[in-house]
PDB file of all heavy atoms in Angstrom:
ATOM      1  N   ARG B1398      -5.543  -9.581  -0.508  1.00  0.00           N
ATOM      2  CA  ARG B1398      -4.740  -9.657   0.728  1.00  0.00           C
ATOM      3  C   ARG B1398      -3.897  -8.380   0.794  1.00  0.00           C
ATOM      4  O   ARG B1398      -3.337  -7.968  -0.244  1.00  0.00           O
ATOM      5  CB  ARG B1398      -3.809 -10.884   0.670  1.00  0.00           C
ATOM      6  CG  ARG B1398      -3.434 -11.474   1.975  1.00  0.00           C
ATOM      7  CD  ARG B1398      -3.127 -12.955   1.844  1.00  0.00           C
ATOM      8  NE  ARG B1398      -4.292 -13.721   1.456  1.00  0.00           N
ATOM      9  CZ  ARG B1398      -5.079 -14.374   2.337  1.00  0.00           C
ATOM     10  NH1 ARG B1398      -4.810 -14.332   3.628  1.00  0.00           N
ATOM     11  NH2 ARG B1398      -6.123 -15.051   1.909  1.00  0.00           N
ATOM     12  N   TYR B1399      -3.849  -7.765   1.949  1.00  0.00           N
ATOM     13  CA  TYR B1399      -3.177  -6.459   2.038  1.00  0.00           C
ATOM     14  C   TYR B1399      -2.458  -6.306   3.394  1.00  0.00           C
ATOM     15  O   TYR B1399      -2.815  -6.958   4.376  1.00  0.00           O
ATOM     16  CB  TYR B1399      -4.176  -5.324   1.833  1.00  0.00           C
ATOM     17  CG  TYR B1399      -5.357  -5.348   2.780  1.00  0.00           C
ATOM     18  CD1 TYR B1399      -5.289  -4.689   3.991  1.00  0.00           C
ATOM     19  CD2 TYR B1399      -6.542  -6.026   2.444  1.00  0.00           C
ATOM     20  CE1 TYR B1399      -6.374  -4.727   4.873  1.00  0.00           C
ATOM     21  CE2 TYR B1399      -7.600  -6.075   3.319  1.00  0.00           C
ATOM     22  CZ  TYR B1399      -7.499  -5.437   4.525  1.00  0.00           C
ATOM     23  OH  TYR B1399      -8.574  -5.467   5.389  1.00  0.00           O
ATOM     24  N   VAL B1400      -1.507  -5.425   3.418  1.00  0.00           N
ATOM     25  CA  VAL B1400      -0.843  -4.965   4.620  1.00  0.00           C
ATOM     26  C   VAL B1400      -0.824  -3.466   4.558  1.00  0.00           C
ATOM     27  O   VAL B1400      -0.764  -2.879   3.471  1.00  0.00           O
ATOM     28  CB  VAL B1400       0.587  -5.566   4.728  1.00  0.00           C
ATOM     29  CG1 VAL B1400       1.477  -5.150   3.573  1.00  0.00           C
ATOM     30  CG2 VAL B1400       1.222  -5.225   6.056  1.00  0.00           C
ATOM     31  N   TYR B1401      -0.905  -2.824   5.692  1.00  0.00           N
ATOM     32  CA  TYR B1401      -0.933  -1.354   5.662  1.00  0.00           C
ATOM     33  C   TYR B1401      -0.255  -0.757   6.882  1.00  0.00           C
ATOM     34  O   TYR B1401      -0.129  -1.339   7.959  1.00  0.00           O
ATOM     35  CB  TYR B1401      -2.366  -0.843   5.600  1.00  0.00           C
ATOM     36  CG  TYR B1401      -3.210  -1.112   6.854  1.00  0.00           C
ATOM     37  CD1 TYR B1401      -3.190  -0.262   7.952  1.00  0.00           C
ATOM     38  CD2 TYR B1401      -4.074  -2.206   6.902  1.00  0.00           C
ATOM     39  CE1 TYR B1401      -3.941  -0.506   9.079  1.00  0.00           C
ATOM     40  CE2 TYR B1401      -4.816  -2.469   8.029  1.00  0.00           C
ATOM     41  CZ  TYR B1401      -4.770  -1.631   9.098  1.00  0.00           C
ATOM     42  OH  TYR B1401      -5.513  -1.872  10.219  1.00  0.00           O
ATOM     43  N   GLY B1402       0.224   0.445   6.657  1.00  0.00           N
ATOM     44  CA  GLY B1402       0.631   1.366   7.710  1.00  0.00           C
ATOM     45  C   GLY B1402      -0.338   2.525   7.698  1.00  0.00           C
ATOM     46  O   GLY B1402      -0.725   2.999   6.650  1.00  0.00           O
ATOM     47  N   ASN B1403      -0.740   3.023   8.894  1.00  0.00           N
ATOM     48  CA  ASN B1403      -1.727   4.117   8.951  1.00  0.00           C
ATOM     49  C   ASN B1403      -1.183   5.366   9.641  1.00  0.00           C
ATOM     50  O   ASN B1403      -1.918   6.176  10.122  1.00  0.00           O
ATOM     51  CB  ASN B1403      -2.996   3.643   9.643  1.00  0.00           C
ATOM     52  CG  ASN B1403      -2.754   3.241  11.095  1.00  0.00           C
ATOM     53  OD1 ASN B1403      -1.657   3.400  11.625  1.00  0.00           O
ATOM     54  ND2 ASN B1403      -3.788   2.721  11.749  1.00  0.00           N
ATOM     55  N   GLY B1404       0.098   5.474   9.664  1.00  0.00           N
ATOM     56  CA  GLY B1404       0.731   6.644  10.235  1.00  0.00           C
ATOM     57  C   GLY B1404       1.064   6.490  11.704  1.00  0.00           C
ATOM     58  O   GLY B1404       1.817   7.301  12.258  1.00  0.00           O
ATOM     59  N   SER B1405       0.525   5.485  12.354  1.00  0.00           N
ATOM     60  CA  SER B1405       0.823   5.265  13.767  1.00  0.00           C
ATOM     61  C   SER B1405       0.904   3.804  14.099  1.00  0.00           C
ATOM     62  O   SER B1405       1.251   3.425  15.239  1.00  0.00           O
ATOM     63  CB  SER B1405      -0.231   5.935  14.681  1.00  0.00           C
ATOM     64  OG  SER B1405      -1.517   5.388  14.375  1.00  0.00           O
ATOM     65  N   GLY B1406       0.591   2.917  13.168  1.00  0.00           N
ATOM     66  CA  GLY B1406       0.598   1.489  13.393  1.00  0.00           C
ATOM     67  C   GLY B1406       0.488   0.731  12.099  1.00  0.00           C
ATOM     68  O   GLY B1406       0.559   1.335  11.015  1.00  0.00           O
ATOM     69  N   THR B1407       0.302  -0.575  12.197  1.00  0.00           N
ATOM     70  CA  THR B1407       0.214  -1.400  11.005  1.00  0.00           C
ATOM     71  C   THR B1407      -0.963  -2.385  11.171  1.00  0.00           C
ATOM     72  O   THR B1407      -1.503  -2.575  12.256  1.00  0.00           O
ATOM     73  CB  THR B1407       1.495  -2.199  10.814  1.00  0.00           C
ATOM     74  OG1 THR B1407       1.727  -3.055  11.967  1.00  0.00           O
ATOM     75  CG2 THR B1407       2.686  -1.291  10.642  1.00  0.00           C
ATOM     76  N   GLY B1408      -1.303  -3.023  10.067  1.00  0.00           N
ATOM     77  CA  GLY B1408      -2.325  -4.054  10.081  1.00  0.00           C
ATOM     78  C   GLY B1408      -2.287  -4.858   8.801  1.00  0.00           C
ATOM     79  O   GLY B1408      -1.540  -4.519   7.874  1.00  0.00           O
ATOM     80  N   SER B1409      -3.054  -5.893   8.760  1.00  0.00           N
ATOM     81  CA  SER B1409      -3.123  -6.705   7.553  1.00  0.00           C
ATOM     82  C   SER B1409      -4.523  -7.353   7.528  1.00  0.00           C
ATOM     83  O   SER B1409      -5.182  -7.531   8.554  1.00  0.00           O
ATOM     84  CB  SER B1409      -2.057  -7.807   7.627  1.00  0.00           C
ATOM     85  OG  SER B1409      -2.026  -8.568   6.426  1.00  0.00           O
ATOM     86  N   GLY B1410      -4.946  -7.685   6.329  1.00  0.00           N
ATOM     87  CA  GLY B1410      -6.272  -8.289   6.214  1.00  0.00           C
ATOM     88  C   GLY B1410      -6.446  -8.940   4.867  1.00  0.00           C
ATOM     89  O   GLY B1410      -5.551  -8.991   4.017  1.00  0.00           O
ATOM     90  N   SER B1411      -7.673  -9.423   4.642  1.00  0.00           N
ATOM     91  CA  SER B1411      -7.972 -10.121   3.390  1.00  0.00           C
ATOM     92  C   SER B1411      -9.441  -9.902   3.020  1.00  0.00           C
ATOM     93  O   SER B1411     -10.281  -9.622   3.873  1.00  0.00           O
ATOM     94  CB  SER B1411      -7.645 -11.597   3.485  1.00  0.00           C
ATOM     95  OG  SER B1411      -8.445 -12.209   4.504  1.00  0.00           O
ATOM     96  N   ASN B1412      -9.676 -10.079   1.725  1.00  0.00           N
ATOM     97  CA  ASN B1412     -11.043 -10.042   1.197  1.00  0.00           C
ATOM     98  C   ASN B1412     -11.835  -8.835   1.700  1.00  0.00           C
ATOM     99  O   ASN B1412     -12.936  -8.963   2.222  1.00  0.00           O
ATOM    100  CB  ASN B1412     -11.774 -11.319   1.508  1.00  0.00           C
ATOM    101  CG  ASN B1412     -11.098 -12.521   0.862  1.00  0.00           C
ATOM    102  OD1 ASN B1412     -10.472 -12.379  -0.194  1.00  0.00           O
ATOM    103  ND2 ASN B1412     -11.222 -13.697   1.458  1.00  0.00           N
ATOM    104  N   ALA B1413     -11.235  -7.661   1.456  1.00  0.00           N
ATOM    105  CA  ALA B1413     -11.945  -6.421   1.781  1.00  0.00           C
ATOM    106  C   ALA B1413     -13.251  -6.374   0.998  1.00  0.00           C
ATOM    107  O   ALA B1413     -14.295  -5.917   1.492  1.00  0.00           O
ATOM    108  CB  ALA B1413     -11.070  -5.219   1.459  1.00  0.00           C
ATOM    109  N   TYR B1414     -13.170  -6.880  -0.237  1.00  0.00           N
ATOM    110  CA  TYR B1414     -14.364  -6.960  -1.098  1.00  0.00           C
ATOM    111  C   TYR B1414     -14.292  -8.217  -1.942  1.00  0.00           C
ATOM    112  O   TYR B1414     -13.212  -8.718  -2.259  1.00  0.00           O
ATOM    113  CB  TYR B1414     -14.412  -5.728  -2.050  1.00  0.00           C
ATOM    114  CG  TYR B1414     -14.510  -4.432  -1.328  1.00  0.00           C
ATOM    115  CD1 TYR B1414     -13.358  -3.743  -0.968  1.00  0.00           C
ATOM    116  CD2 TYR B1414     -15.742  -3.869  -0.971  1.00  0.00           C
ATOM    117  CE1 TYR B1414     -13.428  -2.539  -0.289  1.00  0.00           C
ATOM    118  CE2 TYR B1414     -15.824  -2.670  -0.294  1.00  0.00           C
ATOM    119  CZ  TYR B1414     -14.671  -2.008   0.060  1.00  0.00           C
ATOM    120  OH  TYR B1414     -14.747  -0.833   0.753  1.00  0.00           O
ATOM    121  N   THR B1415     -15.429  -8.772  -2.328  1.00  0.00           N
ATOM    122  CA  THR B1415     -15.466  -9.877  -3.227  1.00  0.00           C
ATOM    123  C   THR B1415     -16.228  -9.545  -4.525  1.00  0.00           C
ATOM    124  O   THR B1415     -16.153 -10.332  -5.492  1.00  0.00           O
ATOM    125  CB  THR B1415     -16.142 -11.123  -2.576  1.00  0.00           C
ATOM    126  OG1 THR B1415     -17.447 -10.760  -2.115  1.00  0.00           O
ATOM    127  CG2 THR B1415     -15.292 -11.633  -1.404  1.00  0.00           C
ATOM    128  N   ASN B1416     -16.908  -8.418  -4.533  1.00  0.00           N
ATOM    129  CA  ASN B1416     -17.664  -8.040  -5.741  1.00  0.00           C
ATOM    130  C   ASN B1416     -16.929  -6.983  -6.551  1.00  0.00           C
ATOM    131  O   ASN B1416     -17.444  -6.482  -7.552  1.00  0.00           O
ATOM    132  CB  ASN B1416     -19.042  -7.507  -5.384  1.00  0.00           C
ATOM    133  CG  ASN B1416     -18.973  -6.266  -4.515  1.00  0.00           C
ATOM    134  OD1 ASN B1416     -17.928  -5.888  -4.001  1.00  0.00           O
ATOM    135  ND2 ASN B1416     -20.128  -5.610  -4.372  1.00  0.00           N
ATOM    136  N   GLN B1417     -15.698  -6.662  -6.117  1.00  0.00           N
ATOM    137  CA  GLN B1417     -14.833  -5.720  -6.848  1.00  0.00           C
ATOM    138  C   GLN B1417     -13.427  -5.942  -6.352  1.00  0.00           C
ATOM    139  O   GLN B1417     -13.224  -6.509  -5.263  1.00  0.00           O
ATOM    140  CB  GLN B1417     -15.312  -4.287  -6.633  1.00  0.00           C
ATOM    141  CG  GLN B1417     -15.441  -3.871  -5.166  1.00  0.00           C
ATOM    142  CD  GLN B1417     -16.290  -2.634  -5.014  1.00  0.00           C
ATOM    143  OE1 GLN B1417     -15.981  -1.583  -5.563  1.00  0.00           O
ATOM    144  NE2 GLN B1417     -17.360  -2.712  -4.247  1.00  0.00           N
ATOM    145  N   GLY B1418     -12.458  -5.485  -7.091  1.00  0.00           N
ATOM    146  CA  GLY B1418     -11.075  -5.693  -6.741  1.00  0.00           C
ATOM    147  C   GLY B1418     -10.583  -4.555  -5.850  1.00  0.00           C
ATOM    148  O   GLY B1418     -10.646  -3.402  -6.242  1.00  0.00           O
ATOM    149  N   PHE B1419     -10.082  -4.882  -4.687  1.00  0.00           N
ATOM    150  CA  PHE B1419      -9.602  -3.871  -3.723  1.00  0.00           C
ATOM    151  C   PHE B1419      -8.243  -3.333  -4.204  1.00  0.00           C
ATOM    152  O   PHE B1419      -7.357  -4.104  -4.534  1.00  0.00           O
ATOM    153  CB  PHE B1419      -9.512  -4.474  -2.356  1.00  0.00           C
ATOM    154  CG  PHE B1419      -9.090  -3.528  -1.267  1.00  0.00           C
ATOM    155  CD1 PHE B1419      -9.636  -2.244  -1.185  1.00  0.00           C
ATOM    156  CD2 PHE B1419      -8.126  -3.872  -0.332  1.00  0.00           C
ATOM    157  CE1 PHE B1419      -9.251  -1.356  -0.187  1.00  0.00           C
ATOM    158  CE2 PHE B1419      -7.754  -2.996   0.683  1.00  0.00           C
ATOM    159  CZ  PHE B1419      -8.316  -1.755   0.764  1.00  0.00           C
ATOM    160  N   ALA B1420      -8.114  -2.016  -4.204  1.00  0.00           N
ATOM    161  CA  ALA B1420      -6.891  -1.355  -4.680  1.00  0.00           C
ATOM    162  C   ALA B1420      -6.385  -0.327  -3.684  1.00  0.00           C
ATOM    163  O   ALA B1420      -5.906   0.738  -4.035  1.00  0.00           O
ATOM    164  CB  ALA B1420      -7.111  -0.717  -6.043  1.00  0.00           C
ATOM    165  N   GLY B1421      -6.518  -0.642  -2.377  1.00  0.00           N
ATOM    166  CA  GLY B1421      -5.969   0.237  -1.360  1.00  0.00           C
ATOM    167  C   GLY B1421      -6.860   1.452  -1.101  1.00  0.00           C
ATOM    168  O   GLY B1421      -8.070   1.410  -1.363  1.00  0.00           O
ATOM    169  N   ASN B1422      -6.239   2.499  -0.560  1.00  0.00           N
ATOM    170  CA  ASN B1422      -7.018   3.700  -0.192  1.00  0.00           C
ATOM    171  C   ASN B1422      -6.568   4.897  -0.979  1.00  0.00           C
ATOM    172  O   ASN B1422      -5.417   4.992  -1.435  1.00  0.00           O
ATOM    173  CB  ASN B1422      -6.797   4.028   1.308  1.00  0.00           C
ATOM    174  CG  ASN B1422      -7.395   2.989   2.216  1.00  0.00           C
ATOM    175  OD1 ASN B1422      -6.766   2.588   3.173  1.00  0.00           O
ATOM    176  ND2 ASN B1422      -8.588   2.567   1.914  1.00  0.00           N
ATOM    177  N   ILE B1423      -7.501   5.843  -1.154  1.00  0.00           N
ATOM    178  CA  ILE B1423      -7.170   7.131  -1.724  1.00  0.00           C
ATOM    179  C   ILE B1423      -7.655   8.231  -0.769  1.00  0.00           C
ATOM    180  O   ILE B1423      -8.459   7.966   0.135  1.00  0.00           O
ATOM    181  CB  ILE B1423      -7.756   7.370  -3.117  1.00  0.00           C
ATOM    182  CG1 ILE B1423      -9.260   7.148  -3.129  1.00  0.00           C
ATOM    183  CG2 ILE B1423      -7.079   6.472  -4.133  1.00  0.00           C
ATOM    184  CD1 ILE B1423      -9.934   7.440  -4.469  1.00  0.00           C
ATOM    185  N   THR B1424      -7.136   9.410  -0.939  1.00  0.00           N
ATOM    186  CA  THR B1424      -7.426  10.563  -0.068  1.00  0.00           C
ATOM    187  C   THR B1424      -8.858  10.988  -0.249  1.00  0.00           C
ATOM    188  O   THR B1424      -9.458  10.831  -1.296  1.00  0.00           O
ATOM    189  CB  THR B1424      -6.456  11.699  -0.449  1.00  0.00           C
ATOM    190  OG1 THR B1424      -5.119  11.160  -0.472  1.00  0.00           O
ATOM    191  CG2 THR B1424      -6.456  12.794   0.587  1.00  0.00           C
ATOM    192  N   GLN B1425      -9.431  11.545   0.805  1.00  0.00           N
ATOM    193  CA  GLN B1425     -10.823  11.989   0.762  1.00  0.00           C
ATOM    194  C   GLN B1425     -10.954  13.343   1.461  1.00  0.00           C
ATOM    195  O   GLN B1425      -9.951  13.944   1.887  1.00  0.00           O
ATOM    196  CB  GLN B1425     -11.738  10.944   1.418  1.00  0.00           C
ATOM    197  CG  GLN B1425     -11.473  10.695   2.872  1.00  0.00           C
ATOM    198  CD  GLN B1425     -12.479   9.738   3.511  1.00  0.00           C
ATOM    199  OE1 GLN B1425     -12.958   8.805   2.833  1.00  0.00           O
ATOM    200  NE2 GLN B1425     -12.803  10.003   4.742  1.00  0.00           N
ATOM    201  N   ALA B1426     -12.198  13.827   1.575  1.00  0.00           N
ATOM    202  CA  ALA B1426     -12.436  15.184   2.035  1.00  0.00           C
ATOM    203  C   ALA B1426     -12.031  15.429   3.467  1.00  0.00           C
ATOM    204  O   ALA B1426     -11.915  16.585   3.880  1.00  0.00           O
ATOM    205  CB  ALA B1426     -13.926  15.524   1.860  1.00  0.00           C
ATOM    206  N   THR B1427     -11.866  14.407   4.271  1.00  0.00           N
ATOM    207  CA  THR B1427     -11.447  14.574   5.649  1.00  0.00           C
ATOM    208  C   THR B1427      -9.949  14.791   5.810  1.00  0.00           C
ATOM    209  O   THR B1427      -9.483  15.015   6.905  1.00  0.00           O
ATOM    210  CB  THR B1427     -11.834  13.347   6.468  1.00  0.00           C
ATOM    211  OG1 THR B1427     -11.243  12.175   5.859  1.00  0.00           O
ATOM    212  CG2 THR B1427     -13.338  13.152   6.547  1.00  0.00           C
ATOM    213  N   MET B1428      -9.233  14.747   4.702  1.00  0.00           N
ATOM    214  CA  MET B1428      -7.774  14.884   4.747  1.00  0.00           C
ATOM    215  C   MET B1428      -7.356  16.218   4.175  1.00  0.00           C
ATOM    216  O   MET B1428      -8.197  16.985   3.672  1.00  0.00           O
ATOM    217  CB  MET B1428      -7.149  13.720   3.944  1.00  0.00           C
ATOM    218  CG  MET B1428      -7.541  12.356   4.578  1.00  0.00           C
ATOM    219  SD  MET B1428      -7.075  10.972   3.485  1.00  0.00           S
ATOM    220  CE  MET B1428      -6.099  10.011   4.636  1.00  0.00           C
ATOM    221  N   THR B1429      -6.072  16.540   4.235  1.00  0.00           N
ATOM    222  CA  THR B1429      -5.587  17.837   3.853  1.00  0.00           C
ATOM    223  C   THR B1429      -6.113  18.222   2.460  1.00  0.00           C
ATOM    224  O   THR B1429      -6.069  17.427   1.533  1.00  0.00           O
ATOM    225  CB  THR B1429      -4.045  17.830   3.830  1.00  0.00           C
ATOM    226  OG1 THR B1429      -3.586  17.476   5.133  1.00  0.00           O
ATOM    227  CG2 THR B1429      -3.486  19.171   3.413  1.00  0.00           C
ATOM    228  N   ALA B1430      -6.544  19.462   2.329  1.00  0.00           N
ATOM    229  CA  ALA B1430      -7.109  19.955   1.063  1.00  0.00           C
ATOM    230  C   ALA B1430      -6.076  19.880  -0.047  1.00  0.00           C
ATOM    231  O   ALA B1430      -4.865  19.878   0.189  1.00  0.00           O
ATOM    232  CB  ALA B1430      -7.579  21.384   1.246  1.00  0.00           C
ATOM    233  N   SER B1431      -6.565  19.769  -1.269  1.00  0.00           N
ATOM    234  CA  SER B1431      -5.709  19.742  -2.493  1.00  0.00           C
ATOM    235  C   SER B1431      -4.760  18.558  -2.524  1.00  0.00           C
ATOM    236  O   SER B1431      -3.796  18.571  -3.308  1.00  0.00           O
ATOM    237  CB  SER B1431      -4.907  21.060  -2.607  1.00  0.00           C
ATOM    238  OG  SER B1431      -5.762  22.178  -2.572  1.00  0.00           O
TER     239      SER B1431
END
Side-chain angles (χ1 to χ4, degrees):
Chain B
R1398 208 153 294 265
Y1399 56 89
V1400 61
Y1401 67 84
N1403 63 4
S1405 59
T1407 60
S1409 185
S1411 62
N1412 297 333
Y1414 299 90
T1415 56
N1416 62 348
Q1417 53 198 303
F1419 183 45
N1422 293 137
I1423 55 175
T1424 311
Q1425 62 175 35
T1427 56
M1428 301 170 125
T1429 301
S1431 305

